[in-house]
């Protein structure tokens, strides 16, 4: 096995470019958190100050360089980390950045083609430094616009083997949104939101800032990127 610093990642079998899961973009291999997703480390202002991706709101983390290693069976793993991640998640509403500890981008066959997200390249994200939660989504194409009330049926109707993502699967997808070419404003999860014992709708995420929260209206139209069951 080999271990590589950020300036020698190619020595661990990674390609120089990665194709997004929809096949639309070819991106340079990210070597730090900012190039992985600038929403992790830089302010992304929103007209409603409460929801700005800012340090004060917990939406900004320290930029760190990636490292990589290559396993004996030829799998290459790119590792990103947040040295200041919080121990556990206290609320159902949170900024992903606060609890993202480690993010892994793995290529099962190294430099060999197709070097595309969802084919030979996948993602795994670890949240919380105490009693960690792992998000390991396998996103499928395409994306759909839908209401909260219809989010589950939209995925099932497209592919009976798919469903909307869980909260931490969507959080992992946010961390890796550039590689997945996720550029819509908001995405649904499959996690229901109840108020006073009644189903209201589902949790969703503001993809530009990484905030995951309970939406109160199941008639709103947002997007879903389904994942394999």
């Amino acid at each position: 096995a080999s271990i590589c610093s950020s300036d020698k990642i190619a020595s661990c079998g990674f390609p120089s470019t990665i194709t997004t899961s929809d096949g639309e973009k070819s991106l340079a291999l990210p070597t730090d958190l900012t190039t992985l997703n600038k929403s992790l480390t830089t302010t992304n202002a929103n007209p409603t100050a409460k929801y700005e991706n800012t340090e004060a709101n917990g939406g900004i983390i320290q930029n760190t360089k990636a490292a990589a290693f290559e396993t004996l069976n030829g799998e290459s793993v790119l590792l990103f980390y947040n040295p200041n991640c919080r121990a556990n998640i206290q609320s159902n509403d949170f900024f992903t950045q606060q609890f993202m500890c480690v993010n892994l981008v793995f290529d099962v066959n190294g430099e060999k083609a197709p070097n595309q997200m969802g084919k030979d390249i996948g993602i795994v994200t670890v949240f919380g430094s105490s009693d960690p939660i792992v998000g390991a989504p396998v996103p499928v194409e395409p994306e759909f616009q839908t209401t909260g009330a219809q989010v589950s049926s939209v995925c099932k109707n497209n592919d009976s083997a798919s469903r909307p993502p869980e909260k931490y699967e969507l959080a992992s997808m946010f961390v890796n949104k550039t590689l997945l070419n996720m550029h819509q404003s908001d995405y649904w999860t499959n996690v229901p939101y109840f108020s006073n014992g009644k189903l209201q709708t589902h949790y969703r995420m503001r993809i530009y800032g990484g905030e995951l929260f309970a939406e109160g209206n199941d008639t709103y139209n947002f997007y879903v990127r389904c994942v394999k069951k």
Side-chain angles (χ1 to χ4, degrees):
S2 301
I3 299 175
C4 304
S5 59
S6 61
D7 59 339
K8 297 182 179 178
I9 286 176
S11 299
C12 279
F14 267 100
S16 59
T17 59
I18 291 178
T19 301
T20 55
S21 54
D22 55 12
E24 293 184 0
K25 294 183 179 180
S26 180
L27 305 173
L29 184 73
T31 57
D32 60 26
L33 282 175
T34 299
T35 52
L36 176 69
N37 175 1
K38 67 179 182 180
S39 295
L40 296 172
T41 61
T42 57
T43 297
N44 192 355
N46 185 54
T48 306
K50 177 182 177 182
Y51 304 122
E52 282 187 1
N53 177 32
T54 63
E55 185 173 4
N57 286 342
I60 300 295
I61 61 178
Q62 174 186 346
N63 188 28
T64 56
K65 293 183 178 180
F69 61 92
E70 187 176 18
T71 65
L72 293 175
N73 65 359
E75 184 174 5
S76 299
V77 181
L78 188 59
L79 184 150
F80 302 85
Y81 75 103
N82 171 16
N84 301 312
C85 67
R86 297 188 183 182
N88 51 61
I89 298 173
Q90 301 292 339
S91 170
N92 286 323
D93 300 353
F94 59 86
F95 276 95
T96 301
Q97 292 90 322
Q98 300 174 39
F99 303 99
M100 191 281 287
C101 293
V102 177
N103 185 68
L104 305 175
V105 179
F106 62 89
D107 189 327
V108 298
N109 60 1
E111 291 182 288
K112 297 178 181 178
N115 295 321
Q116 183 172 352
M117 296 296 300
K119 293 188 176 180
D120 56 342
I121 300 179
I123 53 176
V124 175
T125 312
V126 180
F127 299 96
S129 59
S130 176
D131 298 322
I133 298 171
V134 175
V138 182
V140 297
E141 299 289 342
E143 294 180 352
F144 298 97
Q145 190 172 28
T146 180
T147 64
Q150 297 296 318
V151 64
S152 293
S153 59
V154 163
C155 287
K156 184 177 180 181
N157 291 341
N158 178 63
D159 181 348
S160 61
S162 73
R163 56 168 172 75
E166 300 283 355
K167 287 195 293 186
Y168 300 104
E169 289 176 319
L170 183 56
S172 176
M173 292 159 70
F174 160 73
V175 172
N176 298 279
K177 71 172 186 174
T178 303
L179 297 177
L180 296 170
N181 199 23
M182 296 176 70
H183 52 270
Q184 304 297 339
S185 62
D186 298 77
Y187 288 83
W188 292 110
T189 73
N190 72 347
V191 180
Y193 166 55
F194 292 88
S195 179
N196 297 322
K198 294 182 180 180
L199 175 65
Q200 301 298 314
T201 182
H202 295 75
Y203 282 82
R204 66 180 173 95
M205 175 174 283
R206 292 186 173 94
I207 203 70
Y208 51 77
E211 184 196 18
L212 193 144
F213 64 102
E215 175 53 63
N217 191 325
D218 68 356
T219 66
Y220 286 169
N221 266 290
F222 296 111
Y223 286 81
V224 62
R225 173 74 69 90
C226 308
V227 299
K228 291 183 180 180
K229 291 181 179 180

